[in-house]
Amino acid sequence: MFRIGAADEGEELLARLGALTAQARELAASQRSRVELAVALQRGMLPQTLPRPPGVRLAVRYSPANHGLNVGGDWYDAFDMPDGRIGLSIGDVQGHNIQAAAFMGQIRVALRALASVTGDPGELLGRTNDLLGSLDSDLFATCTFLRLDPASGVLECARAGHIPHIWATADGRSGIDNGDGGPPLGVLPGAEYPVACHRLTEGGVFVLLTDGVVEGPSLSLDDGLGQVKRLAEVTAAASLGINALANGVMKLADTVGHEDDAAVLVVGHDGTAS
């Protein structure tokens, strides 16, 4: 009787283990499907082509955090505006899931749509912020929006809680834009976003990025931004090209000590026709 009971218990244990294994496999398959869907959403919502106005060059790099279940909502965008200028945006949605990826798409669409109503970067971020607030979502996003006039090189910039962008000129000057900005999008109704003006000169570059490139357990934000500043300065002074700069900046993402979305948008002026 003892042997029969032990055999029965063993069979029951094996049956339970089999059921648990099947449930684990089903859960893993479901989670993989969610990650694959989120990554597809991310890539599908990013621009397939970039503007090429005379003299202006754009380079982008993007690496989604699709390791395990970490799927974020970083994005970049560049598009022609109704007044002939170029709209440039980069941003980071709070959270790492399929909802963050979908929210990223809503912000990108909102910025493009509202750019037909107002081209002023500060007003554009303000209207987008109010629109996102009306959606009653728990998510929020940081963002930088630039409006570039290809003819004059004038860049107008507004930031919504996003990390600073970096600039460098062909004569060896460089800097980190630590000017005033507003709160992240979707947090404070009626928020205002100050606008700063710069000029993109021949041979110069502007670098927009998300914090996954320059900040993490192994690299502080200040150190990361400092490294990008040095890369931009060397690239502009030596005329190495915006693609080389974009590649160099993205390599920093491997040193930050965590797996996160990483996005870079580099704007350069070569002074030639497209």
Side-chain angles (χ1 to χ4, degrees):
M1 294 294 294
F2 174 78
R3 291 180 178 178
I4 293 175
D8 290 342
E9 291 178 359
E11 292 176 358
E12 182 180 356
L13 178 59
L14 288 174
R16 290 180 178 177
L17 287 175
L20 289 173
T21 300
Q23 291 176 5
R25 288 176 177 171
E26 182 179 351
L27 178 60
S30 175
Q31 297 287 17
R32 279 197 302 272
S33 296
R34 290 175 62 86
V35 171
E36 291 169 358
L37 175 59
V39 172
L41 276 173
Q42 285 176 312
R43 294 197 179 280
M45 292 176 184
L46 296 176
Q48 302 302 306
T49 60
L50 300 173
R52 289 183 59 85
V56 175
R57 297 291 179 265
L58 302 177
V60 295
R61 299 292 184 273
Y62 179 72
S63 177
N66 58 350
H67 303 279
L69 302 181
N70 288 325
V71 181
D74 285 19
W75 85 88
Y76 65 84
D77 200 6
F79 58 93
D80 296 308
M81 300 181 73
D83 61 4
R85 285 178 273 195
I86 306 298
L88 305 162
S89 72
I90 196 164
D92 183 0
V93 176
Q94 166 262 339
H96 293 85
N97 51 37
I98 194 170
Q99 286 77 23
F103 194 65
M104 173 266 284
Q106 291 178 313
I107 297 173
R108 179 172 171 259
V109 170
L111 286 170
R112 285 196 172 217
L114 290 172
S116 64
V117 178
T118 176
D120 179 84
E123 185 177 351
L124 179 56
L125 288 185
R127 287 175 178 261
T128 303
N129 174 65
D130 291 341
L131 175 61
L132 296 176
S134 70
L135 299 178
D136 196 26
S137 172
D138 293 332
L139 298 177
F140 62 87
T142 65
C143 174
T144 292
F145 188 89
L146 272 68
R147 179 171 64 171
L148 167 64
D149 183 349
S152 66
V154 172
L155 270 167
E156 299 164 282
C157 170
R159 291 192 296 129
H162 202 67
I163 63 174
H165 57 272
I166 292 156
W167 59 270
T169 61
D171 61 5
R173 294 179 296 118
S174 62
I176 300 172
D177 183 3
N178 287 306
D180 292 337
L185 300 175
V187 173
L188 182 64
E192 295 184 356
Y193 298 90
V195 177
C197 290
H198 308 277
R199 186 178 295 276
L200 179 64
T201 56
E202 184 173 342
V205 294
F206 275 75
V207 184
L208 286 73
L209 35 77
T210 57
D211 59 4
V213 181
V214 291
E215 182 181 28
S218 301
L219 187 68
S220 71
L221 178 60
D222 287 342
D223 287 343
L225 291 174
Q227 290 189 37
V228 174
K229 176 176 171 290
R230 287 189 289 273
L231 284 171
E233 183 177 331
V234 170
T235 299
S239 301
L240 298 179
I242 60 172
N243 285 300
L245 177 55
N247 290 334
V249 172
M250 279 298 285
K251 288 182 180 178
L252 286 178
D254 297 330
T255 69
V256 300
H258 64 66
E259 296 169 341
D260 195 2
D261 280 12
V264 175
L265 194 164
V266 180
V267 187
H269 198 310
D270 60 14
T272 63
S274 177

